[in-house]
Amino acid sequence: METNAPYTSFVAVGDSFTEGMSDALPDGSYRGWADLLAARLAGLSRPAGDGTPSPGFRYANLAVRGKLVDQIADEQCGPAASMGADLVTLVGGLNDVLRPKCDVDRVCARLADCADLLARGGGQLVLMRSPGRRGPVLERFRPRMEQLFARIDELAARHGALVVDLFGSEALADPRMWAEDRLHLNAEGHRRVAEAVWQALGLPAAADWEAPLPPAAPPRWAARRTADLRFAREHLVPWIGRRLTGRSSGDGRAGAQFDAEQGRAFWITPADHTDPGPVTGWRRVAAS
């Protein structure tokens, strides 16, 4: 038997938010909320006290930075659905609605295709209202985002999915939760998202993920301008360049647990189920 193990397998689908940017590790790879959540869930699947062996927790993150909803639907959802996971998370569409031209109705329809396919796998589906950083960019695209979020609510009702409302969180809107590129959460932001999903699954809270950060003095004018110039040089200009040339930061990349040569996803599992540790130390599950 197992104790306190409501989920023994988890597959994550989406774009850079789920891949883990910009929660950087020392080796240059990314961790992110999905990896953090997987490690915590694995801790619930340890062998029972009577010595009965556990089959082990399994995890696969198929998300890739820069992916649009069509790519998520065509490249990730089929492999994810075939894995038969107990828990599936789907976050997508934000890269689409942040583009200058976007057919939001079509984005919503494709997201529905994703949810319909993943829900047929039988596991608990989790959807999210993506977080937003305070500022003029958020306000410019708010109508599109709200239309997308309304469809997410409809899909949740259709499939009995959970919705984690990150967009409504004041804490996650704080610029201090965001990386220098102003598009991705930093390590603290990802930690809070992991906690938010954990609690949405009905698991006991370890912290208040919506707790505000301590007050801080506003940066001086010169510091703000320096940060703005660095942001434009290192992040904004390259982003514009990719858009003008039709390139994506995800070109040529596959999900962390997707074998591009074989065209299939695979599981990873803790090397030691009594002490799962970070997913960077987990091993690939041999194909059956």
Side-chain angles (χ1 to χ4, degrees):
M1 61 176 291
E2 290 183 347
T3 58
N4 300 320
Y7 303 102
T8 59
S9 55
F10 166 32
V11 61
V13 171
D15 51 31
S16 58
F17 172 66
T18 301
E19 182 186 348
M21 295 177 72
S22 290
D23 183 5
L25 295 172
D27 65 359
S29 63
Y30 295 110
R31 178 177 52 185
W33 66 266
D35 283 7
L36 292 169
L37 179 64
R40 290 180 67 180
L41 290 171
L44 300 180
S45 297
R46 296 176 182 178
D50 60 3
T52 304
S54 166
F57 184 84
R58 296 169 300 157
Y59 169 57
N61 190 333
L62 309 186
V64 179
R65 67 194 72 176
K67 293 301 183 182
L68 302 174
V69 69
D70 279 338
Q71 295 168 310
I72 293 172
D74 295 340
E75 300 168 9
Q76 298 179 33
C77 289
S82 70
M83 300 179 87
D86 296 335
L87 174 66
V88 182
T89 59
L90 166 63
V91 188
L94 197 61
N95 285 332
D96 299 80
V97 301
L98 292 180
R99 294 195 166 210
K101 295 181 179 180
C102 172
D103 183 343
V104 184
D105 288 334
R106 187 178 186 283
V107 172
C108 290
R110 289 298 275 157
L111 191 67
D113 293 340
C114 294
D116 292 348
L117 179 57
L118 294 171
R120 288 200 290 270
Q124 175 63 64
L125 179 62
V126 176
L127 308 173
M128 300 186 203
R129 299 180 183 180
S130 303
R133 185 182 188 274
R134 289 196 192 100
V137 173
L138 176 67
E139 293 308 314
R140 176 183 176 187
F141 293 103
R142 181 186 289 271
R144 293 181 179 181
M145 295 173 71
E146 290 181 343
Q147 182 178 344
L148 179 65
F149 296 157
R151 178 57 64 89
I152 287 171
D153 289 342
E154 294 172 3
L155 294 173
R158 180 193 304 176
H159 297 298
L162 299 173
V163 177
V164 183
D165 184 11
L166 305 173
F167 185 77
S169 169
E170 288 293 324
L172 287 177
D174 190 316
R176 291 174 290 173
M177 292 286 186
W178 294 76
E180 288 186 356
D181 65 5
R182 305 182 184 182
L183 287 173
H184 302 105
L185 293 171
N186 58 24
E188 175 61 15
H190 279 284
R191 185 193 67 78
R192 292 190 181 223
V193 173
E195 180 67 27
V197 181
W198 176 268
Q199 292 181 25
L201 294 173
L203 297 168
D208 179 4
W209 67 273
E210 292 197 89
L213 292 174
R220 296 179 179 273
W221 182 89
R224 293 200 306 272
R225 297 291 76 77
T226 299
D228 288 343
L229 288 172
R230 184 172 60 249
F231 160 72
R233 181 180 64 253
E234 297 180 5
H235 302 290
L236 182 60
V237 171
W239 182 85
I240 292 173
R242 290 194 298 271
R243 292 296 174 270
L244 292 175
T245 57
R247 294 178 291 119
S248 167
S249 57
D251 289 347
R253 293 182 179 272
Q257 279 76 56
F258 188 85
D259 189 323
E261 291 185 0
Q262 297 185 9
R264 57 180 293 182
F266 59 88
W267 295 109
I268 58 173
T269 193
D272 179 358
H273 293 293
T274 65
D275 183 18
V279 302
T280 51
W282 292 10
R283 60 178 174 82
R284 181 169 176 168
V285 176
S288 57

Coordinates of all heavy atoms in Angstrom, one line a residue, residues 9-15 18-19 33-35 37-38 59-64 72 76 80 83 85 87-91 118 128 255-257 267:
S9 N 1.7 10.0 -10.7 CA 2.3 10.4 -12.0 C 1.8 11.8 -12.4 O 0.6 12.1 -12.2 CB 1.9 9.4 -13.1 OG 0.5 9.2 -13.2
F10 N 2.6 12.6 -13.0 CA 2.3 14.0 -13.3 C 3.0 14.3 -14.7 O 4.2 14.1 -14.8 CB 2.8 14.9 -12.2 CG 2.9 16.4 -12.5 CD1 2.0 17.0 -13.3 CD2 3.9 17.1 -11.8 CE1 2.1 18.4 -13.5 CE2 4.0 18.5 -12.1 CZ 3.1 19.1 -12.9
V11 N 2.2 14.9 -15.6 CA 2.8 15.4 -16.9 C 2.4 16.8 -17.0 O 1.2 17.2 -16.8 CB 2.3 14.5 -18.1 CG1 0.8 14.5 -18.2 CG2 3.0 15.0 -19.3
A12 N 3.3 17.7 -17.4 CA 3.1 19.1 -17.6 C 3.2 19.5 -19.0 O 4.2 19.1 -19.7 CB 4.1 19.9 -16.7
V13 N 2.3 20.3 -19.5 CA 2.2 20.7 -20.9 C 2.2 22.2 -21.0 O 1.4 22.9 -20.2 CB 1.0 20.1 -21.6 CG1 0.7 20.7 -22.9 CG2 1.1 18.6 -21.6
G14 N 2.9 22.8 -21.9 CA 2.8 24.3 -22.1 C 4.0 24.9 -22.7 O 4.7 24.3 -23.5
D15 N 4.3 26.2 -22.3 CA 5.3 27.0 -22.9 C 6.4 27.3 -21.8 O 6.6 26.5 -20.9 CB 4.7 28.2 -23.5 CG 3.8 29.0 -22.5 OD1 4.1 29.0 -21.3 OD2 2.9 29.7 -23.0
T18 N 5.8 26.9 -18.0 CA 5.8 25.6 -17.4 C 7.2 24.9 -17.5 O 7.6 24.1 -16.7 CB 4.7 24.7 -18.0 OG1 3.5 25.3 -17.8 CG2 4.7 23.3 -17.4
E19 N 7.9 25.3 -18.6 CA 9.3 24.9 -18.7 C 10.2 25.3 -17.5 O 11.1 24.6 -17.1 CB 9.9 25.4 -20.0 CG 11.4 24.9 -20.2 CD 12.1 25.5 -21.4 OE1 11.4 26.2 -22.2 OE2 13.3 25.3 -21.5
W33 N 8.1 25.9 -11.4 CA 7.1 25.5 -10.5 C 6.7 24.0 -10.8 O 6.4 23.3 -9.8 CB 5.8 26.3 -10.7 CG 5.2 26.2 -12.0 CD1 5.3 27.0 -13.1 CD2 4.2 25.2 -12.4 NE1 4.5 26.6 -14.1 CE2 3.8 25.5 -13.7 CE3 3.6 24.2 -11.7 CZ2 2.9 24.8 -14.4 CZ3 2.7 23.4 -12.4 CH2 2.3 23.7 -13.8
A34 N 6.7 23.5 -12.0 CA 6.3 22.1 -12.3 C 7.3 21.2 -11.7 O 6.9 20.1 -11.1 CB 6.2 21.9 -13.8
D35 N 8.6 21.4 -11.8 CA 9.6 20.6 -11.2 C 9.5 20.6 -9.7 O 9.6 19.6 -9.0 CB 11.0 21.0 -11.6 CG 11.4 20.6 -13.0 OD1 10.5 20.1 -13.8 OD2 12.6 20.9 -13.4
L37 N 6.8 21.2 -7.9 CA 5.6 20.5 -7.6 C 5.8 19.0 -7.7 O 5.4 18.2 -6.8 CB 4.4 20.9 -8.5 CG 3.1 20.2 -8.2 CD1 2.6 20.5 -6.8 CD2 2.1 20.6 -9.3
A38 N 6.5 18.5 -8.7 CA 6.8 17.1 -8.9 C 7.6 16.6 -7.7 O 7.3 15.5 -7.2 CB 7.5 16.9 -10.2
Y59 N 7.2 11.4 -13.6 CA 7.0 12.8 -14.0 C 7.6 13.1 -15.4 O 8.6 12.5 -15.7 CB 7.7 13.7 -13.0 CG 7.9 15.2 -13.4 CD1 6.7 16.0 -13.6 CD2 9.1 15.8 -13.4 CE1 6.8 17.3 -14.0 CE2 9.2 17.2 -13.7 CZ 8.1 17.9 -14.0 OH 8.2 19.2 -14.3
A60 N 6.9 13.9 -16.1 CA 7.4 14.3 -17.4 C 7.0 15.8 -17.7 O 5.8 16.1 -17.6 CB 6.8 13.4 -18.5
N61 N 7.9 16.6 -18.0 CA 7.6 18.0 -18.4 C 7.9 18.1 -19.9 O 9.0 18.0 -20.3 CB 8.5 18.9 -17.6 CG 8.1 20.4 -17.7 OD1 7.6 20.8 -18.8 ND2 8.4 21.2 -16.7
L62 N 6.8 18.4 -20.6 CA 6.9 18.4 -22.1 C 6.9 19.9 -22.6 O 7.0 20.1 -23.8 CB 5.8 17.7 -22.7 CG 5.5 16.2 -22.3 CD1 4.5 15.6 -23.1 CD2 6.8 15.4 -22.3
A63 N 6.9 20.9 -21.7 CA 6.7 22.3 -22.1 C 8.0 22.8 -22.7 O 9.1 22.4 -22.4 CB 6.4 23.1 -20.9
V64 N 7.8 23.7 -23.7 CA 8.9 24.3 -24.4 C 8.7 25.8 -24.6 O 7.6 26.2 -24.9 CB 9.1 23.7 -25.8 CG1 10.3 24.3 -26.6 CG2 9.3 22.2 -25.7
I72 N 1.5 23.6 -29.1 CA 1.3 22.9 -27.9 C 0.3 21.8 -28.2 O 0.4 20.6 -27.8 CB 0.7 23.8 -26.8 CG1 1.8 24.7 -26.3 CG2 0.2 23.0 -25.6 CD1 1.4 25.8 -25.3
Q76 N 2.6 18.5 -28.2 CA 2.6 18.0 -26.8 C 1.4 17.2 -26.3 O 1.6 16.3 -25.5 CB 2.9 19.2 -25.9 CG 4.1 20.0 -26.1 CD 4.3 21.2 -25.2 OE1 3.9 21.2 -24.0 NE2 4.9 22.2 -25.7
A80 N 1.3 13.6 -24.3 CA 0.9 13.7 -22.9 C -0.3 12.9 -22.6 O -0.4 12.2 -21.6 CB 0.6 15.2 -22.5
M83 N 0.1 9.2 -22.0 CA 0.9 8.7 -20.9 C 0.0 8.2 -19.7 O 0.4 7.6 -18.8 CB 1.8 9.8 -20.4 CG 2.8 10.2 -21.5 SD 4.0 11.5 -21.0 CE 5.3 10.5 -20.2
A85 N -1.4 9.9 -17.2 CA -1.0 10.4 -15.9 C -2.2 10.7 -14.9 O -3.3 11.0 -15.4 CB -0.2 11.7 -16.1
L87 N -2.2 13.2 -12.9 CA -2.3 14.6 -12.9 C -1.7 15.2 -14.1 O -0.6 14.9 -14.6 CB -1.5 15.2 -11.7 CG -1.4 16.7 -11.5 CD1 -2.8 17.3 -11.2 CD2 -0.4 17.0 -10.3
V88 N -2.4 16.2 -14.8 CA -2.0 16.8 -16.0 C -2.2 18.3 -15.8 O -3.3 18.8 -15.5 CB -2.7 16.3 -17.2 CG1 -2.2 17.0 -18.5 CG2 -2.6 14.8 -17.4
T89 N -1.2 19.1 -16.1 CA -1.4 20.6 -16.1 C -1.2 21.1 -17.5 O -0.4 20.7 -18.3 CB -0.3 21.3 -15.2 OG1 1.0 21.0 -15.6 CG2 -0.5 20.8 -13.8
L90 N -2.1 22.1 -17.9 CA -2.1 22.7 -19.2 C -2.1 24.2 -19.0 O -3.0 24.7 -18.4 CB -3.3 22.2 -20.0 CG -3.6 23.0 -21.3 CD1 -2.5 22.9 -22.3 CD2 -5.0 22.5 -21.8
V91 N -1.1 24.8 -19.5 CA -1.0 26.3 -19.5 C -0.5 26.7 -20.9 O 0.6 26.4 -21.3 CB -0.1 26.9 -18.5 CG1 -0.3 28.4 -18.4 CG2 -0.4 26.3 -17.1
L118 N -6.6 16.0 -23.4 CA -5.9 15.7 -22.2 C -6.9 15.1 -21.2 O -6.6 14.2 -20.4 CB -5.2 16.9 -21.6 CG -4.0 17.4 -22.4 CD1 -3.5 18.7 -21.9 CD2 -2.9 16.4 -22.4
M128 N -4.8 27.0 -15.7 CA -4.4 28.2 -14.9 C -4.7 29.5 -15.6 O -4.6 29.5 -16.9 CB -2.9 28.2 -14.6 CG -2.4 27.0 -13.8 SD -0.7 27.1 -13.4 CE -0.3 25.4 -13.1
G255 N 10.8 19.2 -25.2 CA 10.6 19.2 -23.8 C 11.6 18.4 -23.0 O 12.3 17.5 -23.6
A256 N 11.8 18.7 -21.8 CA 12.8 18.0 -21.0 C 12.7 16.5 -21.0 O 13.7 15.8 -21.0 CB 12.8 18.5 -19.5
Q257 N 11.4 16.0 -21.0 CA 11.2 14.6 -21.1 C 10.5 14.2 -22.4 O 9.6 13.4 -22.4 CB 10.4 14.1 -19.9 CG 11.2 14.0 -18.6 CD 11.5 15.3 -17.9 OE1 10.6 16.1 -17.7 NE2 12.8 15.5 -17.7
W267 N 9.1 9.1 -19.0 CA 9.0 9.4 -17.6 C 10.3 9.5 -17.0 O 11.3 8.8 -17.4 CB 8.2 8.4 -16.8 CG 6.8 8.2 -17.2 CD1 6.2 7.1 -17.8 CD2 5.7 9.0 -16.9 NE1 4.8 7.2 -17.9 CE2 4.5 8.4 -17.4 CE3 5.6 10.3 -16.2 CZ2 3.2 9.0 -17.2 CZ3 4.3 10.9 -16.1 CH2 3.2 10.3 -16.6

